[in-house]
Structures are given as C-alpha cells and as structure tokens.
Amino acid sequence: MGLLRLVICWLLVCAPAQAGTLTQAELARRFPAPLTVGDKAADVPAWPLFKQDGTAMELVGYAFESADLAPVPGFAGVPPNLLVVIDPKGTFLDVAVLSQHEPVFLEGLGEAPLHDFVQQYRGRSLGQGITVGGGKGSLDGVSKATASVRIISQSILSAALKVARARLGFAQGRDPGRVGRILPDRFVPLSLQQMLDAGLVRHVRVRNGDVERLFAGGAGAGLDAQVLAHPDDIFIDVWVAWASVPAVGRNLLAPRTWNRLQGRLEPGDHALLVLTAGPHAIAGDDFVRGSVPRGIVLRQDRLPVEMRDLDIEPRLADGVHLPADEMLLLRVIGQAGLDPARALDFALPVTRSKGIVYPERITREIAFPYQLPAAYYVAPEAAAPAWQASWKARRVELAVLGVALALLAGALWQQRRLVANARRFAWLRRAWLLFTIGFIGYAAQAQLSIVNLTGIVQALRAGRGLDYLLFDPLTVALWAFVLVSLFIWGRGTFCGWLCPFGALQEFAGLAGQALRLPQVSVRRVLDARLKRVKYGVLAAILLAAAWAPAQADRLVELEPFKTAITLNFVRGWTYVAYAVGLLLGATVVNKAFCRYLCPLGAALALLGRVRMLDWIPRRAECGAPCQTCRHRCSYNAIAPRGQVDYEECFQCMECVVIHASDEQCAPRILERKRNRSIPIVSMDGRA
C-alpha cells in the first residue's frame, strides 16, 4: 500500500494538465467565409472573429475554449471542454461540446442530451444571470445528470466572463446580477457644495509639479518645459459624478439634459459625468462623439471598464457654476457589471515623448478614487457558491438520507438489540436493502463508485480543487458517513448496507436459494487468491487515472454500477449483459463481484484498516473447537482459529446473530445443557 501511494504521488506531480486543443486553422474550418479568424489575443486565450463590412473589418465576437479559462473538473476529475462564442455585447452566439468525460454522458444517456443542453445558451446574455433548472427563464437541466450540467454551466459562464472582462470591459468573475442597485427614488435637493461635501461629486486638482513628480527618476522627467517653468500652475481640474444617480443628475444637470439622459440608458446602464478645466484635455481635438475617450480610464477591482460617450451635450442646472472646458456624459453598459457598492478607480493617462525619429513614449497616470455614498444604493447580497443551488434543490432527499443514516448508525451501535431476534433481524435487513436499492440507488442516484476516486486523482494531478464534488450533495453526504464508518466498523458498513448494487447481488443470492440453485462454495485457498484480484484492478485504475485518463475511462467500466443503477440498465447491450451476468452469477456464488473484482471495495478495505473497533463479538471457544460461524460465513471472512478478517467482512451480521442465539451458538447450547443437568440421587435420598 505504501508503494502504491508513492507511485500515485509521483504521477500526480509529473503528469501534465489539460489545456485547449483548437488551432487557428481548425477554427477557420469551423467558421468559414465570410468570417475571418484573427490572431489569438495576448491577454486572454480567445480568438477574435471578424467579417467584412464595406472597407472595414467588423468584430463579430470571440471564440474560446472553456478548458483554457475555466477548467472546472467534472465527476471523472477531467474538465469538460466547450467551444464558446460570444459577441461584443456578451451574448452567446454558440456553444459546442469539444470533449467531456462525464460518466452519465459517455454511455447510457449518450451525448445527445448534453448537446441539446448547451444549445440553450444561444441568444442568452451574460447579463441575464443564467441558471440551470431554476424555473421560468432558466436553462432546462438533464434528468439523471443535473450535477454534471451544473458543472458544465459553471465552466461556460466562468470562461465567458473572463473573456468579457478582458476584451469587452465586463467585471471579473462577478455575476452581473449580483451588484449593488441604485436607489431610483432617493432624491433630496442639494447644492454643488453639499454634493462635494457628501462625496457625490469628486473634485481633483492636479498642478504641474504633481505631474512632474510622476515622471521623476524616469525617461520622461524634465521633458515638458512649461511644467518645469510653472510648477504651481493648474495642469487639470477634474470633477467626476455618478450622473445616473437621481440625487446627482437631477441636482447637477439641467432638466432637459436629465430627461435626455434617462431616455438613452437601458436598464442596468450607468452614466458618469466628467468635467475638466485646464490645459490638459481628456477628449482632445480629434475626439469623435459616441466613441471611447482615450484621456480617462475607469477601473473597478483593478479591471478596466469601458466608458463610451453618450453623444449628449450636457448642460448644468441653474445655480451650478463650474469653470469647465470639457463636459462628457459617458455610459457604462449594464453587462459590464459595474457595481455601485464598490469604489471606482479613475486614471488620467499623461504621455510624454522622448526622441525625434522614433520617439519613446512614456506614460504615467493621475489616479484618484470615487466612492458613491452608501445612502444611494442597495448593496448586493453575498454571492453564493454555484454548488449551493444543488444542495437547496435536494434538501428533502438530504433530510431523508440523513435520518436513514442516523437510524442505521444507531442500530449498528446497538447490535445486541438488533440481532436479539434472528427472524426479525432478517426482515429488517431485507427492508433496509430495499431502501438502499430504491432510494439511495435509483431515486437519489447516490451510488458510490470508483469514479469518485479516479476523479479526485485526476483533479489533483492537474492541480485543481475538489469543489466539483459539492455539485452532488447526496454522494458527498454518503461519502462523509462511509468515511466515518470506516474508523468504527470498517468496510462492511458500506458494502453490506449502503451499496445499491451490492444489495441487488444479495437479493439475487436469495433468489438463487429460493429457486434451489446449487450454491457454489469456493475453496478457501482459491477464495483467498481471487480476493487479491480486486486490489490489482484498483491499482490499474488509479495508475491509469493519473497517467492515462482515457484508459481509466475504459477500466472503470469493470464496475457495473453505472449500468445497473445510474442508467437503470438503459445502455448498450454489452454493458447490460455484463451487469446482468454478474447478478446471475451472484445467484450461485455469493456476491462474487464484491468479493473478487470490485475496485471500490478494495479501496474501502485498505482504508478500513484504520478501524478502531473489533466489533464482532467472539468467545474463547470460537475456532477452537467451535467452527459454526466459519462454516456459515458465505464470505469466508472468518479464519479457522476464529479471527475475523474485517477487510473481507460485509457486515451481514450472521455470525453476530449466531453468537447471540441459544439455538445456534454451540458454546451457548453446551452451557445451557450443563445448567439443565439433573443431579443423581441414591435410593436413600443422598446425592
């Protein structure tokens, strides 16, 4: 086991991570004329798509792979890779599946439902707050694959937001629906001085000496003679205000300008008023109305946000007197995710040139913040992790599972009371196994699998987190219980009570006995050798998961769980034949798959060695001379000397029933006979 750990750790360190696979040539084949694929952007792995518009090339959108930007691992531990195309406004033009390793879509359901799911993104905007299975307006999920499509959706949205942030001025990684909201009815008449005092209007005065200090010690120092000659003169006066806030716009702008501004803004848009005075201009003589001014930059959370001129000639309200040379009303579209609850960072770039033929351009920025007072917006709610929706949606099933597991733990802890009546225990156990098959297996889809472990191996190999596991709350809850039970009882709690396929095999065995089929008892020596096979299967799967994921996808099919439980036998005939064959085999060889082939069982057996209790009661006579429990154990988990092999025990508790029974336990039967002995009395009445 120690050697296996070392090998896996080495593979985790050495194995490469997955990345996008498309080239510019491949994209050109996918997007033929009249579209043209540009060079990949330097700041984000996305290709611009252009089309000819007269003499100009019009930007159609950006194409990118989700694995390059948001490699959210799926349940196989490998991120899905999707080709995503968004237009300059953040609207999805197309989403296509390039590769995916989700077990539920590899077989059974097939990829068709996944392709149908991603087609729903077409025409939707990043500003809509796209959700999956959340009711009206949300994306339709996929039955039996809700957790998988949530992971895929998170990958698509996260990747798209990163591109939108880098290339379209959108906010980094924030859900555009989770930003502060301007209060439209919050208005009180305020003078200019009152607005300045309240922080609604920000005034910044920059002198020539301040600018020279920005360039001090660099190539741009001392290049502006006017600045050097008059260090105390004004370089620029700037006034900035959030004009779409009623308490600002209605007090600062003339009524006609305010009304025009309201008519030009879409829901979610923001308007900023910028006024300047002094020799330095932010627009300049070559500024074109409706364009983006180069002389002022807006950032939020250190990320650029595009401001575009509204082409409105602003007029100030009566009584507002500012010595402004320039006045601009700039719009920030709603899709940019500008958050009124967070500070705005403005910067005025100042560029100097050094040299004549090929001048060196040196740029420094005059930076200043602006924070809208809290009284004029509603702060956003804290963004909940994407996986929380899965937990809320399945809270009823989680409650049922939680109660059931608590009952099971209590019953196993009170094993003497549980097995006090052998007949009652048999029926209780069968009822529980039916619950395991019906609820845990088919209803909750919480069949634990070796895929859970290979997914972790592949996620760690690529240096990713394990947050993806939280998208399947029932599986997480069951794993948590199983891991705790390993410390108390060992492997048997899951394999004997909580594995739906194991329960199917147990009922298959009962059916075989009812049909009087010959029950094959594997000889102890052969049985011991066959039990080692599952450890070899486990090692092969884990090594493949770390080194050759494609091979691991094939090897995990040795588990029939997906066919029999997840997909309810709706799959290719070879998989169905294999699963059915294992169940038929269980009618004559008790739980043959669990004992000899199950890689998950092997992993739990290894982990179960940390067990704290030898919970199966034993007597001094067990094994010497009594062999009742050993012969009755259909798993060959009891040695001739009476010791229990907990790594191979399935917690059927048959030996515990025998131990507590006056009719089945040989030492107890002998003890009862001794207690019932009749003393011999002589004819004279003496003993």
Side-chain angles (χ1 to χ4, degrees), residues 457-494:
V457 170
Q458 293 187 13
L460 295 176
R461 174 189 72 111
R464 296 184 294 267
L466 302 179
D467 292 352
Y468 74 93
L469 295 171
L470 297 174
F471 283 88
D472 193 354
L474 274 298
T475 299
V476 171
L478 190 55
W479 263 115
F481 179 84
V482 169
L483 291 175
V484 172
S485 72
L486 287 173
F487 286 92
I488 303 173
W489 298 292
R491 164 197 183 179
T493 304
F494 171 75

Side-chain angles (χ1 to χ4, degrees), residues 40 101 248 324 370 386 417 465 494 584 611 660 673:
K40 184 185 286 189
H101 296 263
V248 177
Y370 174 93
R417 297 178 60 182
F494 171 75
L584 291 176
R611 183 194 74 260
K673 287 182 177 180

Side-chain angles (χ1 to χ4, degrees), residues 374-390:
Y376 298 94
Y377 63 82
V378 176
E381 297 179 359
W387 52 264
Q388 280 191 10
S390 300

Side-chain angles (χ1 to χ4, degrees), residues 449-458 479 538 542 545 599-600 603 607:
S449 167
I450 193 62
V451 172
N452 304 139
L453 301 184
T454 58
I456 292 173
V457 170
Q458 293 187 13
W479 263 115
L538 172 65
L542 291 181
L600 180 62
L607 294 172

Side-chain angles (χ1 to χ4, degrees), residues 21-192:
T21 59
L22 293 180
T23 62
Q24 189 174 19
E26 174 62 22
L27 283 169
R29 287 192 290 270
R30 289 174 175 266
F31 302 103
L35 296 179
T36 300
V37 180
D39 294 332
K40 184 185 286 189
D43 54 343
V44 65
W47 286 270
L49 302 179
F50 301 97
K51 72 175 181 180
Q52 192 76 27
D53 183 12
T55 59
M57 294 295 286
E58 177 186 352
L59 177 66
V60 174
Y62 286 92
F64 49 93
E65 295 179 72
S66 63
D68 279 333
L69 295 153
V72 182
F75 283 99
V78 180
N81 192 19
L82 302 107
L83 174 62
V84 184
V85 185
I86 58 174
D87 71 8
K89 294 183 178 180
T91 300
F92 286 95
L93 299 178
D94 196 16
V95 178
V97 179
L98 296 176
S99 66
Q100 60 87 23
H101 296 263
E102 292 303 287
V104 72
F105 291 125
L106 289 176
E107 292 290 340
L109 294 181
E111 287 196 343
L114 177 58
H115 291 298
D116 293 339
F117 170 78
V118 300
Q119 291 303 305
Q120 298 178 83
Y121 284 89
R122 288 185 177 180
R124 292 180 179 259
S125 170
L126 282 169
Q128 294 179 240
I130 300 172
T131 58
V132 178
K136 184 178 180 181
S138 64
L139 303 179
D140 294 330
V142 178
S143 178
K144 294 183 178 291
T146 303
S148 290
V149 296
R150 286 185 187 276
I151 291 172
I152 289 167
S153 179
Q154 186 190 37
S155 180
I156 293 170
L157 293 176
S158 298
L161 279 170
K162 287 185 178 181
V163 174
R165 174 203 68 200
R167 307 303 295 174
L168 308 179
F170 282 38
Q172 179 185 18
R174 288 202 310 268
D175 182 347
R178 292 189 179 276
V179 295
R181 180 172 56 84
I182 298 292
L183 293 172
D185 301 324
R186 183 63 57 88
F187 172 76
V188 289
L190 297 171
S191 67
L192 175 61

